[in-house]
Amino acid sequence: EAGVAQSPRYKIIEKRQSVAFWCNPISGHATLYWYQQILGQGPKLLIQFQNNGVVDDSQLPKDRFSAERLKGVDSTLKIQPAKLEDSAVYLCASNNKGVDTQYFGPGTRLTVL
Amino acid sequence: DQQVKQNSPSLSVQEGRISILNCDYTNSMFDYFLWYKKYPAEGPTFLISISSIKDKNEDGRFTVFLNKSAKHLSLHIVPSQPGDSAVYFCAASPQGGSEKLVFGKGTKLTVNP
């Protein structure tokens, strides 16, 4: 069974530029999560999708971050414009409701200069 | 406010000995707890979990203990192996499953041969 796929793996941008990350969850998983992990911290949930609907985006900085999951499968997370403090690893995870764990992708390491 | 706390940033043990990683939480609504292991440049992988109705769960070399009155859980690894060297994250959920996970900052375990 293929795991959660993410791309790109690394991205370096200047502040005020835009960036997008892509995630393809495990086949059949209805729930998809985006996390931000700043160096030295644990992952922090940004947004949770159930199929193509948003379940929780309470910690998403909506003035600059957006995410979509149009067909209920893969998802994109966008930052526009980026700030220095957005430097982090962005993790995507997926599972099905009632399953006892989330499965994480390898993450995208973003560096904002 | 940090709802899940891992107060030891690092731990070093000898191969074959016991590793004990600790985690404290403050939110009484948490009722499901998980441990994830993370290697460099990879996403977190699920290790073991425990529901608040139990005080112990065992899976091979890994055992998680939960003390609800103290709001404390610990992960025991016996015997420790060099391949166990990784960052271990404690996570908690208020919903009886693995949604809405709140992570600690992690403990870096080094197992010396």
Side-chain angles (χ1 to χ4, degrees):
Chain A
E1 178 182 78
V4 177
Q6 290 188 247
S7 68
R9 292 296 310 275
Y10 304 91
K11 189 75 177 178
I12 300 174
I13 62 172
E14 300 278 337
K15 61 182 178 184
R16 291 188 289 273
Q17 285 186 325
S18 302
V19 65
F21 313 125
W22 175 82
C23 171
N24 190 282
I26 292 173
S27 178
H29 280 187
T31 310
L32 184 147
Y33 312 80
W34 283 102
Y35 288 86
Q36 179 192 57
Q37 186 180 9
I38 293 172
L39 186 66
Q41 306 286 322
K44 183 183 85 171
L45 179 68
L46 292 176
I47 188 167
Q48 176 185 344
F49 291 94
Q50 181 71 21
N51 296 309
N52 61 350
V54 175
V55 173
D56 182 358
D57 63 357
S58 57
Q59 299 193 94
L60 186 74
K62 298 180 187 64
D63 57 334
R64 298 184 300 106
F65 286 64
S66 64
E68 60 183 14
R69 193 184 184 200
L70 292 177
K71 295 183 180 178
V73 181
D74 56 355
S75 174
T76 54
L77 176 70
K78 297 179 182 178
I79 308 175
Q80 180 179 11
K83 293 185 175 182
L84 296 177
E85 58 261 36
D86 298 332
S87 293
V89 175
Y90 291 85
L91 294 161
C92 179
S94 70
N95 69 353
N96 277 322
K97 203 172 179 63
V99 174
D100 64 356
T101 185
Q102 297 178 19
Y103 297 87
F104 284 82
T108 296
R109 179 176 295 278
L110 173 68
T111 301
V112 182
L113 303 175
Chain B
D1 64 331
Q2 210 178 336
Q3 299 184 69
V4 177
K5 300 176 184 178
Q6 294 178 256
N7 292 320
S8 298
S10 63
L11 175 68
S12 182
V13 300
Q14 286 299 117
E15 181 178 4
R17 306 294 291 270
I18 184 171
S19 295
I20 300 176
L21 295 93
N22 294 303
C23 177
D24 298 293
Y25 62 96
T26 58
N27 190 338
S28 300
M29 297 301 293
F30 289 146
D31 62 2
Y32 192 69
F33 304 89
L34 306 90
W35 285 93
Y36 281 83
K37 179 168 74 172
K38 186 181 184 304
Y39 292 118
E42 295 183 11
T45 55
F46 171 72
L47 194 57
I48 193 169
S49 63
I50 188 166
S51 165
S52 61
I53 62 173
K54 295 184 175 181
D55 55 17
K56 177 182 174 181
N57 188 26
E58 193 171 352
D59 184 1
R61 297 186 297 114
F62 303 92
T63 303
V64 56
F65 295 91
L66 175 62
N67 182 333
K68 282 191 298 182
S69 61
K71 294 190 177 67
H72 177 82
L73 62 155
S74 60
L75 174 68
H76 292 210
I77 306 174
V78 184
S80 301
Q81 300 174 354
D84 296 329
S85 297
V87 177
Y88 289 78
F89 291 99
C90 172
S93 170
Q95 300 197 156
S98 70
E99 296 192 357
K100 298 195 186 299
L101 292 181
V102 178
F103 284 83
K105 291 185 176 182
T107 296
K108 183 177 182 180
L109 174 66
T110 302
V111 180
N112 301 301

